[in-house]
Every structure is written in structure tokens, then in C-alpha cells.
Amino acid sequence: MKRRMVIAGGSGFIGSALAADWLALGGEAIVLTRSPRQRDDGATEVQWDAVHIGEWIQYLDRAEAVVCLAGKNINCRHTSEAVRELAESRISAVQTIAAGIRHMTKPPGVWIQAGAIGFYGNTGDAVLDERSPSGAGTLAGICQQWERAFESESVPRTRKVLLRIGVVLGRDGGALPVLARLTRRFLGGRAGNGKQFVSWIHLKDLTRMFLESSRRADLAGTFNAVAPGPVTNKEFMHQLRRVLRRPWSPSAPGWAIKIGARFTGTEPSLALEGCRVLPARFTEAKFEFEYPELPDALTDLCQA
């Protein structure tokens, strides 16, 4: 019997990469999604709505791991209604996964829950690790509710891991393709004053964190899923221009980003705020980063 990983909300950027890596190891990947489709990569998509128990729970039986990535995309205008939906979509997914696990006579060995470094708030250049307290602000509040929901669910026969994920760098999703496109058009300057920290991680290292968390019984609790070399926005854009062979570019003032966000339906705080986060627990666990430093990560992703 193949080792099975069930990935809730797994049809997106991170879930697709994780499913591919799991399949490459000879496992079976089950992707829970609202809109199942036929795939040619070997993964199986199954209907779920992140609210109700359904036929999808059969795949939890004897699964090696269940991963929950589900939740409304954070890259939207943070109106009061959107903030409510951001929180409720995450909490509902957590509660639904927990209910499914409790139905099993042989539940998954591990539940790996996605979280976010937004938990720490906008904290300037303060160095943060997993022992640091949560911060203030909209995103921090959402993350606090999200984590409380996960912590409150009792699944005694399933190990629980929470990954607070940083800014994920990949070729096919996330922020990097947008930033690279702007930089190629000579618009790759800093955002605002550029002092906000970007706590990033290469997609390959992130999927390896999920895989390590699935197989290592000593990994439990909360981990920061970031590279050990966070940089300021100013430095990030400098390195991106260097890799893409573009000269100095004018900065984007904060007021301009806020105006632009109104037209694009995005949230300006995602560009203008940040936190300086270290992966202390993964470092202590001897996790070996393939891309610990930003120049190597950007070179791999932008010059291949």
C-alpha cells in the first residue's frame, strides 16, 4: 500500500508543489478541493467544501499525513467582510479536518497545519523566533484565531505540527513572478521606505519542511517555515535587480502603493509591513536548507 498524503486546499501554488514532491517519492497524493478536476500528474482530486463531512474522509483512513492549506487568499482588500471571511475560512477548515480525523479508526499519523508569520505582526527589525509573542494588527488577529482553533482540536492519536509560513518564493505563484515582471520593466525599486523585513523561503525548502514534518516523529508543535536569512525589502529588491540584470530603479512611495492597491483589489500592508523571523526550531532540529540565502534562491528561480 502506498504512503498516502491528503492535502486540503491543495490545488494551489504550495499544494501542487507538495503533491508533486510526495508523488516523486512514490506516495499517493489526495488533493481536497472545491472544484475537482482530472489530473495527469498522478494526484487525485476529491470534492470538499471545508465545512461538511463527506466522502473525502475515507482518504484519511490509514493516511500517513494530512496537510491543511485551506483558506481564503490573503491577497485581497482587508475590508471588515474580507477579514471575517479570511478568519472563518481558516477556522472552518481546521474544524472540518479535526472532525474527519475523529471519525477514523486508524487516523493519520500527523496533521500538518499551515499558519503564517503574520502572527507576529508588523514588528520592525526585532528578531523573532517561535518563542516570540503574537503581535497586533489585522493579520496577527486572524493568525491568532487560526492557531487557537488548531490548538483546541483534540486528536490524541495524531501528531500535530503547525508551520508559520513566510513569503514563499517560487516560479509559478506567490509574489515573486509579479515582482520579477515589474523589475524587468525597470520598476523594481523598494516599497515605501524599504525597511520592512521580508522573511522568505524557497518553495523547495518549504515542501521539504512538510515532508520532514511528516516522517520525523520528533517534530511536533509550532515551527517558523522561513529561511535563516531574512532581509529588508530594500535589500530584497536590490538582489532581485542584480539577478535580473536591471539597474537602480525608483522606489514606490507608500502613498502610491496604497492608491494602486485600491485599483488592483490588493492590501497595501502586505507590501509595506513585515517582520524579521528566524526558523529557530528547524535549525535546532538540524534541518538542512538548500537555499538559506536570498541571492542563491533568486538565482535558482529567476535564471533557470
Side-chain angles (χ1 to χ4, degrees):
M1 181 178 177
K2 287 187 175 180
R3 297 160 54 233
R4 181 186 303 147
M5 175 177 281
V6 179
I7 309 173
S11 59
F13 168 49
I14 297 172
S16 296
L18 178 57
D21 286 355
W22 186 260
L23 290 165
L25 294 172
E28 176 188 15
I30 305 296
V31 175
L32 306 184
T33 176
R34 295 177 184 273
S35 303
R37 59 182 176 84
Q38 290 289 335
R39 296 172 56 144
D40 56 11
D41 62 356
T44 300
E45 294 196 355
V46 177
Q47 174 73 44
W48 96 313
D49 62 4
V51 177
H52 300 100
I53 294 295
E55 294 184 4
W56 60 268
I57 69 167
Q58 65 185 292
Y59 295 98
L60 296 179
D61 185 48
R62 303 174 189 270
E64 182 163 321
V66 58
V67 173
C68 186
L69 300 168
K72 176 181 169 67
N73 193 326
I74 204 79
N75 189 21
C76 63
R77 292 288 295 167
H78 290 180
T79 63
S80 57
E81 177 66 14
V83 168
R84 182 186 63 78
E85 291 177 358
L86 286 166
E88 288 184 356
S89 65
R90 285 158 172 76
I91 293 168
S92 175
V94 166
Q95 293 171 339
T96 304
I97 290 292
I101 291 174
R102 288 193 288 266
H103 271 76
M104 297 297 102
T105 54
K106 293 198 173 179
V110 60
W111 174 5
I112 308 172
Q113 175 62 46
I117 60 169
F119 173 87
Y120 299 109
N122 181 34
T123 48
D125 62 358
V127 179
L128 309 168
D129 62 20
E130 293 86 352
R131 295 179 293 272
S132 301
S134 60
T138 298
L139 288 180
I142 293 169
C143 290
Q144 290 159 25
Q145 294 177 67
W146 196 6
E147 293 196 14
R148 282 198 298 269
F150 180 61
E151 291 166 0
S152 69
E153 295 293 348
S154 177
V155 286
R157 292 182 292 162
T158 297
R159 177 167 52 91
K160 294 167 70 178
V161 178
L162 175 74
L163 300 185
R164 289 178 182 150
I165 300 173
V167 177
V168 184
L169 304 182
R171 294 187 183 91
D172 303 319
L176 184 59
V178 175
L179 293 175
R181 186 162 58 250
L182 290 171
T183 300
R184 288 188 176 100
R185 295 173 180 172
F186 303 94
L187 296 172
R190 69 177 188 264
N193 63 22
K195 294 180 180 180
Q196 67 276 31
F197 268 83
V198 180
S199 295
W200 60 274
I201 185 166
H202 192 298
L203 180 60
K204 288 182 181 177
D205 279 331
L206 178 60
T207 58
R208 287 178 54 243
M209 286 176 169
F210 279 102
L211 297 177
E212 287 273 300
S213 298
S214 73
R215 71 175 183 84
R216 286 181 53 175
D218 62 311
L219 300 185
T222 300
F223 295 81
N224 289 332
V226 294
V231 297
T232 62
N233 170 268
K234 179 181 178 180
E235 177 64 14
F236 185 98
M237 297 311 299
H238 167 74
Q239 292 297 339
L240 185 56
R241 292 195 305 272
R242 182 189 61 80
V243 169
L244 294 176
R245 298 182 176 86
R246 290 296 186 270
W248 173 89
S249 297
S251 63
W255 60 265
I257 291 174
K258 291 176 182 177
I259 291 174
R262 290 187 175 275
F263 290 99
T264 58
T266 58
E267 174 56 40
S269 65
L270 298 177
L272 296 173
E273 297 180 359
C275 50
R276 187 180 187 179
V277 181
L278 298 180
R281 291 201 63 205
F282 271 120
T283 300
E284 292 164 2
K286 308 300 182 186
F287 179 85
E288 294 185 6
F289 287 87
E290 189 172 349
Y291 298 98
E293 299 298 333
L294 182 63
D296 293 335
L298 292 178
T299 297
D300 174 72
L301 293 167
C302 296
Q303 293 189 348

